[in-house]
Every structure is written in C-alpha cells, then in structure tokens.
Amino acid sequence: MNAKWMIAGAGVLVVAGGLPWVVGYVTEQQWQQATEEVNNSQPFLRLETDDYQRGMLGARFTGSVNLKNPETGESRQFAYRANVTHGVTGSLMDFQPEDGWSSGDTEWFSDEEPRLTLETRLWGTAVLELEAPQMSVTDADTGETLTSSGGLARIEISDAGTQADALMVWPGLALSGPDVDIRVSDFRLEQTMSHLTGDVWTGSGEIVVDSVAVTAGQEPPFSLQDISVRSSSEPVNDGERLDSQMAFEVAGVSVADDRYGPQRLVFALSGLDVAAWGGLTESLSALQTLAISQTSGGPESFEQQMVAMQQVNTAVRDLAAAGFSVGFPELTITTPEGVIEGSARITHPELTADQKAEMLMVMQQLTGEMGLSLPLALAEEYPEFQMQLAPMIKQGLLVQKGDRLVLNASMNDLMLDVNGVEIPLPPLL
C-alpha cells in the first residue's frame, strides 16, 4: 500500500512539475492571439513582439507599441521588455519600457517606479494592472509642473474576451505654472462591458471627480464640485435592439465667493437596431483605415474612398429604416440669473421593405421636437450675449413669456417650425 501511495505521489509531483511548461506554452499562444486581435480591430495602435524566449518556469520577450496619428499619418514607437513567471494555473507578465519610465536624465519618480503587469489564467481570464507611485515632472521651457499622487488602473477580461471590467482610481493630479494652476481631486472610473455582437458592446459605468479647481492669471478662480458621468446601454427585444443613456452632472460651480448648481445634461438613444448599428461602425472603421493607410491621392485611391463612403451611406440608410429615437430629454444649467432648461428629440419610424426600397433620403422621414427656456435676466446681464440673441428675438425664434425667453420647435417633412416661423431644411442626409 505504501508503495502505491509513493508511486501516486511521484506521479503527482511529475505532473505538477510539468504544469509550468504547459502554462508557459499556453501563455505564449494567448499573447500572440491577443496581439493579433488588437492589431486587427483598429488601425491606430499596433503591438509587435520581436523575440519571445520561453523556458520551463519563465520567459522573456521584447517588443514595441506603435501609435499612429489618424490626422497626419505619423507614427511613434515605444519599445518595451517583459519578464514572465509561469505558475501552475497562469502566468504573470511584468512590463518595462526599454528606455525606462522617466524621460532623459530627469527622474519623474522619487521613491519607486510604476509597475505594469498582465496576469493570465489558462481558462482565458486576464488582468492588466498599472500601479503608479507619486510623480513630479517639470518642463524647463514653460516652467509648468505636473504632479500626481499616484494611482491604480486595472482592466479584467474574462469569458473568452466577452466580458471586461475596468477600474481607475487617482486621488490627486495638479498642473501648475506661471499662468495657470489646475487641480483635480479624487478621480474614479468604473466600467463594466459585455460583448453583444460584432463591434457592439453593452454595459454600464461611471466617472466621478470630487472637484476641479482652476486659477488662471488675473481671472477669478473657479471650481467644479461633484462631477459625474454615468452611462448605461442594454439590449432589448432579445438583443435585436439597443437602448442607451448617458448623464453628465456637476453638483456645484463656484466662482470667487459665489456658488450655484446643479448642471445636468442627459443624452438618450432608444430602439437602435443592433445589426444596422454594427454595419455602420464597421463601415466607418473601414473608412478610417483606408484614410490612414493610403498615402497617394491617385484615381485608385479616390475610387476606394468613394466605395467606402457609399458603404457608410448604405449603413446610415439601413439604420434609419430600422427606426430609432435620439436626443437629450433633460438639460438644466443653473446660473446666478436663473435656470436654463431644455429638451430635444429626433425620431425616425421603422419602415417596411417596400417603404425602404422607395426611401430617397433619411431626413425625409425624420421628425423632432425641441424646447428651450432661459431667463431674460441672463440676456440683460451680459450685453455680448444679448447681441447674439437679438437676431433670434427679432425673427421670432425666441419669444418672451413673462421673465423668460422661450423657444418651441418641431420638425416634420423637411420643415422646421420654430415658434410658428417655418424654416425649410436642406436634404443633408
């Protein structure tokens, strides 16, 4: 019996000892697959792996990150090296820039350097994490200094890449110089995403900032308190449609000794056809890739661009024909003179196959409504603002009702009606 147990124990040790080699092999394959997917998904960032040397308990490799400016086509390359440790169920990659975390002879970090790691598991889970210590960078030419309290950025990818959770926490960030001083306090980001289909993702997230304070030259200092951006998107109708909403809010604005608020803007989109939206994003991505990759403006290049534009136009028509509603249901801007309120919505009906075949343009079927109300005292307090509003008041686009200026508009059949004034719309789409 003892001999059997000894043989079984030896077998377990052999298997356990060989697991790091298996993990190392799988890790290399996962890294190659991940870099290929990143490179194929967009044209702006490209990952290159130069030399991957894999051993039993670890590995090391070098590579580069290439960033491309979509406007100029210029690219910038950053070289890196990575040390990999293989475990029983996963690996830990530790990345470092080839030229170090600081620039030139200047030391940005006094006590310790940042740590960028990627932890992977055999079943497909990966966690990319950046731990940044305190930092201070001074520009000798401008005299501006950027200081950071340090923070944490973390992205966890699971379920074979169909689920992603992001977290960023940064307690403090400041930019100070001869002419300006900007301070950001307690920045926090949380985001959860789930892959729906194609390039379409759903989920929810929020960005919260405790305060942003700005002092510029001789201008009075001002600050924003309790800033938040909250978003959510969810599939409906068995994943065939998509509803999305984003809310921007600032609880308080302080200028010198005055404080007022809140400020709030809500953007909403409902009934978006998922398949049509995926087609539009793919066609736009193809158009961007074509614009970046092409260096000449010859006839062939022009023809390719025209084909890509036609694909975008077709995708826009498909999206509109499926029906949707978009707008901002809530706008609230609080000023010392009063509150500005507004809302707007544009809709397009869902068309049948026959109606879609006869569809000449998107704008023909668009309908919409808009409302805006602002205090008259706001125009009276600021002469420059009053001069901008004067033509709209003269034309009847803004009507005085009591102590407020009001705009009510509706759109139908390529005609915009603003307080009874009809304005023909050009067929842009």
Side-chain angles (χ1 to χ4, degrees), residues 56 71 75 116 148 163 280 340 355 357 368 413:
M56 174 68 74
E71 297 181 356
S75 60
L116 178 62
S148 169
Q163 181 76 23
L280 178 59
I340 301 174
Q355 290 173 330
D413 293 331

PDB file of all heavy atoms in Angstrom, residues 56 71 75 116 148 163 280 340 355 357 368 413:
ATOM      1  N   MET A  56      11.209  26.845 -18.887  1.00  0.00           N
ATOM      2  CA  MET A  56      10.338  25.988 -18.091  1.00  0.00           C
ATOM      3  C   MET A  56       9.514  26.800 -17.091  1.00  0.00           C
ATOM      4  O   MET A  56       8.295  26.681 -17.035  1.00  0.00           O
ATOM      5  CB  MET A  56      11.167  24.944 -17.354  1.00  0.00           C
ATOM      6  CG  MET A  56      10.357  24.093 -16.369  1.00  0.00           C
ATOM      7  SD  MET A  56       9.173  22.989 -17.153  1.00  0.00           S
ATOM      8  CE  MET A  56      10.318  21.760 -17.797  1.00  0.00           C
ATOM      9  N   GLU A  71      -4.806  61.775 -38.134  1.00  0.00           N
ATOM     10  CA  GLU A  71      -4.909  63.000 -38.929  1.00  0.00           C
ATOM     11  C   GLU A  71      -3.687  63.204 -39.819  1.00  0.00           C
ATOM     12  O   GLU A  71      -3.820  63.581 -40.982  1.00  0.00           O
ATOM     13  CB  GLU A  71      -5.092  64.208 -38.006  1.00  0.00           C
ATOM     14  CG  GLU A  71      -6.381  64.169 -37.193  1.00  0.00           C
ATOM     15  CD  GLU A  71      -6.537  65.389 -36.319  1.00  0.00           C
ATOM     16  OE1 GLU A  71      -5.599  66.230 -36.289  1.00  0.00           O
ATOM     17  OE2 GLU A  71      -7.584  65.514 -35.654  1.00  0.00           O
ATOM     18  N   SER A  75       3.623  58.157 -37.067  1.00  0.00           N
ATOM     19  CA  SER A  75       3.607  57.104 -36.050  1.00  0.00           C
ATOM     20  C   SER A  75       4.744  57.317 -35.062  1.00  0.00           C
ATOM     21  O   SER A  75       5.777  57.915 -35.396  1.00  0.00           O
ATOM     22  CB  SER A  75       3.720  55.719 -36.695  1.00  0.00           C
ATOM     23  OG  SER A  75       4.929  55.621 -37.417  1.00  0.00           O
ATOM     24  N   LEU A 116       3.719  47.754 -14.288  1.00  0.00           N
ATOM     25  CA  LEU A 116       2.703  47.354 -15.250  1.00  0.00           C
ATOM     26  C   LEU A 116       2.764  45.845 -15.416  1.00  0.00           C
ATOM     27  O   LEU A 116       3.779  45.307 -15.856  1.00  0.00           O
ATOM     28  CB  LEU A 116       2.933  48.046 -16.599  1.00  0.00           C
ATOM     29  CG  LEU A 116       1.963  47.677 -17.732  1.00  0.00           C
ATOM     30  CD1 LEU A 116       0.536  48.067 -17.369  1.00  0.00           C
ATOM     31  CD2 LEU A 116       2.392  48.335 -19.037  1.00  0.00           C
ATOM     32  N   SER A 148       1.464  64.216  -9.555  1.00  0.00           N
ATOM     33  CA  SER A 148       0.421  63.203  -9.399  1.00  0.00           C
ATOM     34  C   SER A 148       0.603  62.472  -8.084  1.00  0.00           C
ATOM     35  O   SER A 148       1.731  62.174  -7.678  1.00  0.00           O
ATOM     36  CB  SER A 148       0.457  62.208 -10.570  1.00  0.00           C
ATOM     37  OG  SER A 148      -0.366  61.093 -10.311  1.00  0.00           O
ATOM     38  N   GLN A 163     -16.302  39.664 -21.721  1.00  0.00           N
ATOM     39  CA  GLN A 163     -16.637  40.445 -20.537  1.00  0.00           C
ATOM     40  C   GLN A 163     -15.407  41.239 -20.122  1.00  0.00           C
ATOM     41  O   GLN A 163     -14.298  40.700 -20.078  1.00  0.00           O
ATOM     42  CB  GLN A 163     -17.088  39.531 -19.392  1.00  0.00           C
ATOM     43  CG  GLN A 163     -17.475  40.263 -18.111  1.00  0.00           C
ATOM     44  CD  GLN A 163     -18.834  40.924 -18.199  1.00  0.00           C
ATOM     45  OE1 GLN A 163     -19.670  40.508 -19.004  1.00  0.00           O
ATOM     46  NE2 GLN A 163     -19.067  41.947 -17.404  1.00  0.00           N
ATOM     47  N   LEU A 280     -22.852  50.025 -39.482  1.00  0.00           N
ATOM     48  CA  LEU A 280     -22.352  51.395 -39.574  1.00  0.00           C
ATOM     49  C   LEU A 280     -20.977  51.535 -38.944  1.00  0.00           C
ATOM     50  O   LEU A 280     -20.083  52.174 -39.514  1.00  0.00           O
ATOM     51  CB  LEU A 280     -23.348  52.350 -38.903  1.00  0.00           C
ATOM     52  CG  LEU A 280     -22.937  53.830 -38.886  1.00  0.00           C
ATOM     53  CD1 LEU A 280     -22.745  54.349 -40.299  1.00  0.00           C
ATOM     54  CD2 LEU A 280     -23.980  54.666 -38.146  1.00  0.00           C
ATOM     55  N   ILE A 340     -31.556  77.647 -16.957  1.00  0.00           N
ATOM     56  CA  ILE A 340     -31.816  77.359 -18.361  1.00  0.00           C
ATOM     57  C   ILE A 340     -32.283  75.918 -18.457  1.00  0.00           C
ATOM     58  O   ILE A 340     -31.625  75.007 -17.951  1.00  0.00           O
ATOM     59  CB  ILE A 340     -30.552  77.569 -19.215  1.00  0.00           C
ATOM     60  CG1 ILE A 340     -30.054  78.995 -19.088  1.00  0.00           C
ATOM     61  CG2 ILE A 340     -30.820  77.228 -20.667  1.00  0.00           C
ATOM     62  CD1 ILE A 340     -28.726  79.243 -19.782  1.00  0.00           C
ATOM     63  N   GLN A 355     -41.316  50.325 -48.239  1.00  0.00           N
ATOM     64  CA  GLN A 355     -41.025  51.720 -47.920  1.00  0.00           C
ATOM     65  C   GLN A 355     -39.525  51.992 -47.968  1.00  0.00           C
ATOM     66  O   GLN A 355     -39.095  53.053 -48.426  1.00  0.00           O
ATOM     67  CB  GLN A 355     -41.584  52.059 -46.533  1.00  0.00           C
ATOM     68  CG  GLN A 355     -43.094  52.107 -46.464  1.00  0.00           C
ATOM     69  CD  GLN A 355     -43.597  52.285 -45.040  1.00  0.00           C
ATOM     70  OE1 GLN A 355     -42.955  51.839 -44.077  1.00  0.00           O
ATOM     71  NE2 GLN A 355     -44.750  52.916 -44.902  1.00  0.00           N
ATOM     72  N   ALA A 357     -37.367  50.470 -49.881  1.00  0.00           N
ATOM     73  CA  ALA A 357     -36.952  50.474 -51.286  1.00  0.00           C
ATOM     74  C   ALA A 357     -37.249  51.820 -51.939  1.00  0.00           C
ATOM     75  O   ALA A 357     -36.526  52.243 -52.847  1.00  0.00           O
ATOM     76  CB  ALA A 357     -37.648  49.344 -52.034  1.00  0.00           C
ATOM     77  N   GLY A 368     -39.103  65.621 -35.196  1.00  0.00           N
ATOM     78  CA  GLY A 368     -38.435  66.002 -33.959  1.00  0.00           C
ATOM     79  C   GLY A 368     -39.134  67.135 -33.253  1.00  0.00           C
ATOM     80  O   GLY A 368     -40.034  67.789 -33.804  1.00  0.00           O
ATOM     81  N   ASP A 413     -41.389  66.618 -42.338  1.00  0.00           N
ATOM     82  CA  ASP A 413     -41.394  66.806 -43.790  1.00  0.00           C
ATOM     83  C   ASP A 413     -40.398  67.870 -44.242  1.00  0.00           C
ATOM     84  O   ASP A 413     -40.733  68.785 -45.014  1.00  0.00           O
ATOM     85  CB  ASP A 413     -42.803  67.181 -44.278  1.00  0.00           C
ATOM     86  CG  ASP A 413     -43.792  66.040 -44.114  1.00  0.00           C
ATOM     87  OD1 ASP A 413     -43.346  64.868 -44.163  1.00  0.00           O
ATOM     88  OD2 ASP A 413     -44.987  66.312 -43.915  1.00  0.00           O
TER      89      ASP A 413
END
